[in-house]
Amino acid sequence: MIQLVRGFKDILPPETAVWRHVENTAREHFEKFGFREMRPPVLEQTALFQRSIGEHTDIVEKEMYTFAGSRDTMLTLRPEATASVVRAYIQHKLYAADPVCKFYTIGPMFRRERPQKGRYRQFHQINAEVFGIDSPYIDVQLIFMLMTYFSRLSVTGLSVHLNSLGCPECRPAYRQKLSEMLSDRTGDLCEDCVRRLEKNPLRVLDCKKEPCRNAVSDAPSMLDFLCGDCRSHFRAVQAALDAIDIPYEIDPRLVRGLDYYTRTAFEIQTEELGAQNAVAGGGRYDNLVEMLGGPSQPAIGFAIGADRLVELVETKIPAPEPGPVIFLAPMGEAAMELAAKWACLLSDAGVRTEADFSGRSLKALMRRADRLGAENVLIVGDREIEQNEAILRNMKTRDQKSLPMDRLVESVLEHEG
Ligand SMILES: [Zn+2]
Ligand SMILES: [Zn+2]
């Protein structure tokens, strides 16, 4: 038997109902904040991710699903969404009419990570991106939108973690300082961090391994290196969060995995899922649009880990699995022919209908109707056909009534109406 690919996952009912709830709530909520849905493809040229995410990141170095396309072009299954949205913003000149654009996108991402519990190689994100505004107020609006989205889903116990990553003016000095400090401690760092140290020392701050965490415990903070503009931006973000009553923690260790972030970086963390505790994260990427060949437009966005969010929501709202409103229990060939037609017409008229064509005993059919959680069972056999009446039984109250067979569909619709 051919099995599912390792590290991938089937999303089955009833869990799909939770997914739809999570996704539809996002659509509804984000659109009230002026966001519109974009659906970029899952396949892009590899160069897009190399240039945006950065060559020296774990994602680009070892986690992408890359293969040869036609004419020497390398193609990659997207490991994240922002690069594609930025590419589309530039390629279709979406900035031309008004540079301020707000998009959200929902879909699968692919990373060849080591398979582990709760982590999949195809995972799902809900992303939102805002282009054309560098004001700190949009940073705060985005965080507000996220937090109110989570409370709509009844997800609680969340905290906002906030940092500033500076800009190309002020970050190099910090990077230099951090790099100097860490080169004296390479003996304490894990293999990955020794490698990161050369190309991207900020990533060492992000390492979850104990020795690395200890080695950076007294590292300098980016916040002490911010230039004047970055400092006032960060202050304004905090003041606006205070004004709108969103508590937050300043977390100088929060660097996010990707190279393109500038200034505000944030994560929404939960304590409910153990060690992997960020349920959403994002930040500014003021230089990415220009870096990818577009006009100079500031931008900010976030990604929600939908797989984790579904886990959180599932524990709050057990997925409701509605049974059929009406279960057709035909007995005998003539009754089955009638039931087949009624089942089609009732479903088409909007009534959740299940018909059983197994030809088993009425007792067996009633057991199945019960197991499916059917509200009503419609019983029809040779005797009913003779009397031109089918029997509708309410499964809860056990009440029965007769419905005229020649206007059966209409009668059921009136009954359910
Ligand atoms: Zn700066
Ligand atoms: Zn490390």
Side-chain angles (χ1 to χ4, degrees), residues 27-37 100-104 129-130 141 145:
R27 288 193 174 93
E28 238 170 69
H29 192 58
F30 295 179
E31 283 174 13
K32 293 202 180 94
F33 286 79
F35 286 75
R36 290 177 301 158
E37 185 169 13
V100 178
C101 289
K102 302 177 187 175
F103 300 110
Y104 68 90
E129 321 284 347
V130 182
Q141 239 184 50
M145 182 173 89

Side-chain angles (χ1 to χ4, degrees), residues 189-194 196 203-204 207-209 211-213:
L189 300 177
C190 74
E191 218 175 282
D192 281 337
C193 282
V194 173
R196 284 174 188 143
R203 295 290 325 273
V204 179
C207 186
K208 301 274 181 284
K209 297 196 179 96
C212 302
R213 295 193 77 108

